[in-house]
Amino acid sequence: MAAKRAGRVAVAAMVTATAMAAEPATPAPGRAPTADDRIVALGDSITDGNTYPQILMQALREAGRPVPVVVCAGVASDTAAQMAARFEQDVLRFQPTVVTVSAGTNDAHRGVTDEAYEAALRAICERGRAAGALMVLLTPCVIEPREGADEAATQKARELDDRVLGFEKVVRRLAAEFACPVAECNRRMREARDRGVKIMAGDGIHPDYMGQSLMARAILDALACTEVALPKEF
């Protein structure tokens, strides 16, 4: 009887583990920013235009909420590994309390593997957490064909768009490991695109104002500010 019970327990444990592995981990809850917070937005050219950080601050201000300092630490063409390499200089020197991380577009274009992407993002999470910062991981932005692209370029863009979904799985895995909130940029962009909303500039790589607004929305949601509305006018 004891052997049978042990067998049933083992089977139940295996079923539970399989179910857990099949379901994405629930993102850790974020916290609303305060006026004393210093947020550093780490990213590539999608970030260095400083649009979604400004939308974020404007939304909080118009809602009558505390507005933190937001430092833009985006560098065009950066991969996750390049962001990790400059993390101390461009992020930690500002003594952030919150760090948002947006990476993946350039990694996809340069053929970076999931493993290399994960190693770089893990290094960022480890250093940020060691410094006491709340790490907010953004799922990578969608990639679209550029305007006027031929069939081959269109197919390549679609392959890259699928590629970032692999990076999204890495983001979720590390977010669960480090208890980081996840900003659902990719999901919001895909939902908007499925509704026929234009969200990208003509190059198919950089979000337009609507796409940047969706990024700000995703960050606000990750920071427990779901009731804060986006600005009606920038």
Side-chain angles (χ1 to χ4, degrees):
M1 289 294 292
K4 289 183 178 180
R5 283 197 299 272
R8 287 196 295 269
V9 170
V11 171
M14 291 175 61
V15 171
T16 301
T18 301
M20 290 175 65
E23 296 178 1
T26 302
R31 61 167 180 81
T34 71
D36 294 328
D37 273 319
R38 185 178 291 106
I39 300 175
V40 175
L42 178 65
D44 50 30
S45 58
I46 292 171
T47 298
D48 77 1
N50 200 29
T51 303
Y52 70 80
Q54 291 188 70
I55 297 173
L56 175 70
M57 289 187 289
Q58 183 179 341
L60 291 170
R61 186 179 300 111
E62 291 181 356
R65 302 289 292 271
V67 181
V69 171
V70 180
V71 178
C72 182
V75 173
S77 299
D78 260 11
T79 62
Q82 289 171 310
M83 294 178 205
R86 62 182 176 87
F87 194 74
E88 283 76 10
Q89 173 65 26
D90 289 358
V91 178
L92 293 186
R93 73 185 181 99
F94 293 106
Q95 298 180 323
T97 55
V98 180
V99 178
T100 65
V101 185
S102 175
T105 298
N106 293 310
D107 298 81
H109 277 273
R110 296 181 194 176
V112 174
T113 65
D114 288 356
E115 292 76 14
Y117 178 80
E118 180 168 350
L121 199 57
R122 179 183 299 278
I124 289 171
C125 289
E126 288 175 345
R127 294 169 192 168
R129 188 174 68 172
L134 172 66
M135 305 299 293
V136 180
L137 304 184
L138 280 60
T139 54
C141 295
V142 301
I143 297 175
E144 294 186 349
R146 67 178 184 275
E147 292 180 1
D150 59 21
E151 183 176 348
T154 297
Q155 179 59 33
K156 178 64 174 178
R158 289 172 177 163
E159 292 172 0
L160 294 174
D161 193 38
D162 290 338
R163 186 75 188 84
V164 298
L165 293 179
F167 295 156
E168 181 179 1
K169 293 178 181 178
V170 172
V171 167
R172 295 189 187 285
R173 185 160 59 246
L174 291 179
E177 179 179 339
F178 288 93
C180 302
V182 173
E184 300 285 356
C185 298
N186 190 281
R187 177 175 62 80
R188 284 193 168 275
M189 287 181 166
R190 288 182 184 277
E191 289 173 351
R193 188 171 64 183
D194 290 345
R195 296 194 304 270
V197 178
K198 182 179 180 298
I199 59 171
M200 302 297 283
D203 62 6
I205 296 173
H206 298 92
D208 60 13
Y209 178 75
M210 177 57 70
Q212 291 276 343
S213 293
L214 293 174
M215 295 180 72
R217 174 75 273 159
I219 295 170
L220 285 167
D221 292 347
L223 292 177
C225 295
T226 56
E227 77 287 357
V228 173
L230 291 174
K232 294 182 178 179
E233 183 175 345
F234 187 47

